[in-house]
Amino acid sequence: MDPSDIDDMFMEETAAMDMRHAIEREEMRLLAVARSEYRSIRNFASACRACGQDLRWRGFDLQVPPDYCTPECARSAPKTVQTLDPWEIAECPF
Ligand SMILES: [Zn+2]
């Protein structure tokens, strides 16, 4: 949402300001949750999945998945996540 949309939604300037502050606080909260989760995934993985470099002392970077050390490593890694195509699942034999 564009911050200027908030002014259109609220007639009163104080209500618009309260809403902007609430959104800011929520963004900060979500970022703190993301950082803490990122840190715990890095501590758990402990080494880059592509090159094996120690991850535990690397900082928070939204451009880099937490189990890789750099965007290059993340890109070079083979795709291991496979989702089942519901139409490919064999029919139940019973
Ligand atoms: Zn790496």
Side-chain angles (χ1 to χ4, degrees), residues 47-55 58 64 67-74 76:
C48 175
R49 287 175 58 183
C51 72
Q53 201 174 139
D54 196 318
L55 292 174
R58 303 188 75 90
V64 184
D67 45 353
Y68 294 96
C69 65
T70 58
E72 290 69 36
C73 273
S76 72

Side-chain angles (χ1 to χ4, degrees), residues 36-54:
S36 135
E37 197 58 24
Y38 194 88
R39 170 74 39 211
S40 76
I41 292 170
R42 286 215 145 160
N43 281 334
F44 180 75
S46 81
C48 175
R49 287 175 58 183
C51 72
Q53 201 174 139
D54 196 318

